[in-house]
Amino acid sequence: MIATALEALIHTGTHGSTRHFKHRVPALAADVGAPTMTTSESDDAYDYRSRLSHGDGFLSDMLPADISLYDKLEETLRLAILKAFREPAFAAIFLDDSQIEARWQA
């Protein structure tokens, strides 16, 4: 659910979900002061999200590396929400696809 929430924040348009997630989540993490995330890690996270949503695994099957990645995603989401509460201008970015695209390239 964490990955889905992040996807809801950073996805724009009707195509390119994986590309958006892969490039924008690490940029969002950096923007809000979350632990550094590489595009490779965010790509792995999106793949894991897809497998879980299609019944290809379960959270209890997570390896330690997957748990570490999940923790990064959770911290990114938590800090993004906190920043949005504290900074109305930051929150407003998520209301407009063009602002998302300008702030976090995909």
Side-chain angles (χ1 to χ4, degrees):
M1 292 218 288
I2 299 295
T4 301
L6 286 166
E7 182 179 14
L9 288 176
I10 53 87
H11 183 70
T12 59
T14 58
H15 302 291
S17 297
T18 302
R19 180 174 43 86
H20 294 168
F21 195 93
K22 179 179 179 177
H23 295 283
R24 290 182 179 152
V25 170
L28 175 61
D31 205 349
V32 299
T36 301
M37 185 182 309
T38 67
T39 55
S40 178
E41 287 176 316
S42 61
D43 192 40
D44 289 346
Y46 194 79
D47 181 60
Y48 198 73
R49 179 215 66 89
S50 296
R51 287 185 285 132
L52 284 173
S53 70
H54 293 97
D56 238 5
F58 196 68
L59 293 176
S60 62
D61 299 332
M62 292 178 79
L63 301 172
D66 296 330
I67 293 170
S68 176
L69 181 53
Y70 176 88
D71 289 344
K72 286 182 178 185
L73 292 170
E74 187 177 77
E75 184 74 359
T76 298
L77 180 61
R78 185 185 71 75
L79 290 172
I81 292 169
L82 182 63
K83 186 171 181 169
F85 275 123
R86 290 182 173 167
E87 300 176 23
F90 183 76
I93 293 167
F94 300 102
L95 299 175
D96 182 350
D97 283 1
S98 65
Q99 287 191 53
I100 293 168
E101 292 165 356
R103 180 106 176 204
W104 303 296
Q105 300 295 311

